[in-house]
Amino acid sequence: GGGGGGGMGDDGDEGEDAAPTADEAAGGTASAPGVVIASGPGGKAARRAMLRRRRANRANLPKKPCDFQVRIHIIEARKLVGQNINPVVNVRVFDQVQPTGVKKGTNKPLFDQMFYFSFHMSPREFLEKVVTIEVMNSRTLRSDSLIGSFQFDTGLCYDFENHTILQKWLLLTNPMDANGGAKGYLKISASVYGPNDEVKRYPKAALDDSCDIESNLLRPAGVELTPCTFSVRLYRAEDVPQMDTALFEGVKKVLGVGSKKRKELVDPYVVMNFAGNKSKTSVLYNNENPEWEEQLQVGCKFPSMCDRIRLRIKDKDNFNKDDTVGTCYLNLSEISAPGENGFLPTFGPAWVNVYG
């Protein structure tokens, strides 16, 4: 095992390379706060694509009042602040409000609820309406129940591909606590449909960390995330079990894979995964006690909604899909602490058990 450290990166892009907000890239209005849509190497291309879609989409809209529908799928939340909370989500579109069910005693509730809102008004008026999503704690008094919220206007959603914000994470903040930082994360899909738009079914949402979380994160303009790097040093493993059958031992001998000595029938390597980003070691052929002595690194931004590092030993297979030998997790809550007197993720050197 190794330690994770935070390193400040250059996040001060300007002009052409700055991450777009809803006001700049998606026709947002002053009534809704800006939303950072895309940053990093692909941000510039994403802005141009959205601007092209905006011009094409809005040119085809009628001038007279017509029917619109807003569809919002509240999927799940993670890392909501507070202890022993009963979260509920209020979805507000203009003057219509619909709540989810209450989830008791959890900071990472699964909602999986769909909401529909219908309107009849002019496109210009409709695309300026604000969508407000609030995560509340149903345990407390109304005046003190807000955990965090997120706002965007319907025009932002309409300018995404297929008029859909698909399975994005929203970084929640509390407007009454400007310096409080992230209050949690909420995963949603949202669509806006106008006249003659094709309604499409949402794909099934992934409920793990397999997707690239950071590239699917929407955050309010002005809320900055700190670039950092997780660094894990892999020393060695012992007693990695055989995964191939005796049949493949003969096949490997014929094809000359590995050494000419007796085959151990395991070609191990390790894959490190965090927040959808991954890094892996080299493959050590025919070795049940591999010694890698390699450093794995993945880039990320904090605060992150991902709360554990996954380490997985794999067996390289030239004929089929690589086998998973076993997996272990390092929970960040156990190797780090937030706050003024906290510390960055630090662990090891130590042995960890791998289960398969």
Side-chain angles (χ1 to χ4, degrees):
M8 293 294 295
D10 184 7
D11 202 29
D13 295 334
E14 298 180 358
E16 186 74 9
D17 293 326
T21 66
D23 296 344
E24 298 168 341
T29 65
S31 59
V35 177
V36 177
I37 299 167
S39 59
K44 192 173 181 181
R47 288 196 296 279
R48 290 177 175 173
M50 179 165 281
L51 289 172
R52 287 195 298 268
R53 285 195 300 270
R54 179 187 180 190
R55 287 191 291 266
N57 291 339
R58 302 194 180 192
N60 296 326
L61 286 171
K63 305 298 182 183
K64 297 181 179 180
C66 53
D67 293 326
F68 290 93
Q69 184 186 80
V70 178
R71 180 173 61 166
I72 297 179
H73 183 199
I74 304 297
I75 303 171
E76 63 170 320
R78 294 190 191 177
K79 286 200 169 182
L80 299 178
V81 298
Q83 296 181 345
N84 198 24
I85 61 175
N86 293 340
V88 59
V89 179
N90 288 334
V91 183
R92 181 189 303 272
V93 183
F94 186 32
D95 57 353
Q96 301 181 31
V97 183
Q98 298 185 43
T100 66
V102 177
K103 302 298 180 179
K104 294 186 177 181
T106 177
N107 296 77
K108 49 179 182 180
L110 175 63
F111 295 103
D112 194 20
Q113 289 184 244
M114 192 78 71
F115 301 96
Y116 301 89
F117 303 85
S118 297
F119 300 91
H120 183 81
M121 57 184 64
S122 69
R124 181 182 180 87
E125 181 183 6
F126 172 75
L127 295 178
E128 292 181 350
K129 296 305 179 185
V130 177
V131 178
T132 302
I133 299 178
E134 298 176 320
V135 181
M136 319 289 288
N137 181 10
S138 65
R139 276 184 176 273
T140 61
L141 298 175
R142 186 69 185 177
S143 60
D144 190 33
S145 62
L146 180 65
I147 297 175
S149 65
F150 193 93
Q151 284 188 326
F152 59 91
D153 56 46
T154 51
L156 170 68
C157 188
Y158 194 75
D159 293 331
F160 270 79
E161 187 175 0
N162 298 320
H163 313 313
T164 297
I165 297 174
L166 184 60
Q167 297 181 14
K168 298 289 187 181
W169 287 98
L170 310 181
L171 191 154
L172 304 173
T173 58
N174 189 335
M176 304 302 294
D177 186 10
N179 298 320
K183 301 299 182 182
Y185 301 84
L186 182 69
K187 190 176 188 178
I188 72 162
S189 291
S191 300
V192 172
Y193 296 114
N196 303 317
D197 287 334
E198 180 183 359
V199 178
K200 296 185 177 181
R201 183 184 298 271
Y202 292 146
K204 185 176 180 179
L207 299 179
D208 55 23
D209 300 330
S210 59
C211 64
D212 185 350
I213 291 173
E214 290 173 4
S215 66
N216 287 289
L217 176 67
L218 301 181
R219 57 186 172 89
V223 177
E224 298 298 331
L225 301 178
T226 303
C228 62
T229 300
F230 262 118
S231 178
V232 173
R233 185 166 185 82
L234 272 298
Y235 297 101
R236 60 194 177 106
E238 289 186 354
D239 301 324
V240 180
Q242 298 180 7
M243 301 300 292
D244 292 335
T245 63
L247 172 64
F248 283 99
E249 182 177 353
V251 175
K252 286 188 174 184
K253 282 184 177 180
V254 171
L255 297 181
V257 178
S259 68
K260 295 182 180 181
K261 298 179 181 179
R262 180 183 179 275
K263 301 295 184 286
E264 298 295 343
L265 295 180
V266 59
D267 306 322
Y269 65 97
V270 177
V271 180
M272 171 188 174
N273 186 288
F274 181 78
N277 300 315
K278 64 181 181 180
S279 179
K280 62 183 180 180
T281 67
S282 57
V283 179
L284 298 184
Y285 289 95
N286 305 312
N287 196 335
E288 63 179 4
N289 297 301
E291 297 186 10
W292 288 286
E293 295 288 346
E294 294 183 30
Q295 192 100 343
L296 300 184
Q297 293 183 332
V298 293
C300 56
K301 292 186 178 181
F302 266 80
S304 173
M305 55 144 296
C306 188
D307 56 6
R308 62 183 184 176
I309 301 170
R310 187 182 72 190
L311 297 173
R312 176 166 288 171
I313 298 179
K314 305 277 285 187
D315 178 23
K316 181 68 176 177
D317 196 322
N318 293 320
F319 307 101
N320 297 296
K321 184 178 180 180
D322 292 354
D323 297 315
T324 296
V325 178
T327 304
C328 73
Y329 294 93
L330 298 178
N331 293 313
L332 297 188
S333 61
E334 298 176 0
I335 63 174
S336 64
E340 183 177 350
N341 297 320
F343 57 93
L344 293 172
T346 304
F347 177 78
W351 289 98
V352 294
N353 294 322
V354 177
Y355 299 94

